[in-house]
Amino acid sequence: MKRKTPQEKKTLSYDKDCRNTYGENDKASRRNIPLRKAKVNRVYRKKVDEVLRQVIGDVDLVKADLIESKSREIKREDWKKSPDAPLGEVIEQQLQRRKTHAGNGKTSRKRAREFVKNLKIEAERESDGRWIAEAVEMNGVLAYGETCEAAIEKCKRLAGYVFLEQIGAVGMITVNGNYISVITY
């Protein structure tokens, strides 16, 4: 038998090993799966018992036959454990969530910094001597400044907050001159 390389072992593990994706931890599953099965059985036995308790006193063959047929018509509810997902799929979902999930911490701030770093900003001088900077890719994101650098810096800061609001990491309350009121989620 040929020895497997670590890469082959990993590939096999990703295909064959499974993880519980139901939403509860595996220790809870060990307890809850038998409990759910027992509950289904308990409900079934109770329904059958209610029908069979109608035979009290004299036993009439016709009545007993009718009750027996009623008890046989009672169906047990079907409960099955949701299947576990292959490890490869679980890891792929986790990686995908990490990429797309902004969160309220380092991830969202890092994405905002990268976005602002690559943002194209145009600046021009107004007739009154102030500078105006506008983020080309974002409608309505513009800022005034005394110098070109100050206007660009304010525009970048505002664009970062607008980006964070768009991904759901913060909520902007007011933008007033040099101040931006923000609520973090």
Side-chain angles (χ1 to χ4, degrees), residues 27-166:
K27 278 66 170 179
S29 295
R30 290 180 197 160
R31 183 191 67 216
N32 289 336
I33 290 171
L35 283 176
R36 288 190 187 109
K37 287 181 180 179
K39 185 177 180 182
V40 167
N41 290 334
R42 235 179 274 135
V43 168
Y44 171 72
R45 286 194 309 266
K46 185 176 179 183
K47 286 180 183 176
V48 171
D49 190 48
E50 286 174 359
V51 171
L52 292 178
R53 284 188 186 270
Q54 295 175 4
V55 182
I56 297 177
D58 294 340
V59 178
D60 182 15
L61 290 176
V62 175
K63 186 178 178 181
D65 196 31
L66 181 66
I67 291 174
E68 182 184 0
S69 66
K70 278 185 182 178
S71 67
R72 290 186 188 270
E73 287 175 3
I74 298 173
K75 298 293 181 197
R76 186 179 308 233
E77 290 181 27
D78 192 26
W79 183 86
K80 288 185 180 179
K81 175 189 170 292
S82 60
D84 292 339
L87 180 61
E89 289 178 17
V90 172
I91 290 175
E92 185 63 36
Q93 288 172 351
Q94 288 175 345
L95 293 174
Q96 190 64 30
R97 184 174 183 279
R98 282 183 198 160
K99 285 180 186 175
T100 59
H101 181 66
N104 294 338
K106 293 178 182 177
T107 308
S108 61
R109 291 190 302 268
K110 182 180 177 184
R111 286 180 63 194
R113 278 192 304 271
E114 289 175 7
F115 177 78
V116 169
K117 187 171 74 173
N118 298 326
L119 187 64
K120 183 178 178 188
I121 295 178
E122 292 180 353
E124 51 181 76
R125 192 172 194 132
E126 293 284 304
S127 59
D128 60 357
R130 296 184 301 170
W131 285 84
I132 184 170
E134 180 180 8
V136 177
E137 300 157 10
M138 302 177 81
N139 291 335
V141 176
L142 50 95
Y144 287 96
E146 295 299 318
T147 64
C148 182
E149 293 79 21
I152 290 173
E153 190 59 38
K154 285 181 183 179
C155 186
K156 283 183 179 181
R157 193 173 337 123
L158 181 60
Y161 280 118
V162 170
F163 176 77
L164 287 172
E165 185 180 38
Q166 287 174 349

Side-chain angles (χ1 to χ4, degrees), residues 10-22:
K10 185 174 183 178
T11 304
L12 281 174
S13 174
Y14 276 17
D15 292 339
K16 293 186 177 184
D17 293 350
C18 292
R19 293 293 182 267
N20 182 357
T21 56
Y22 179 68

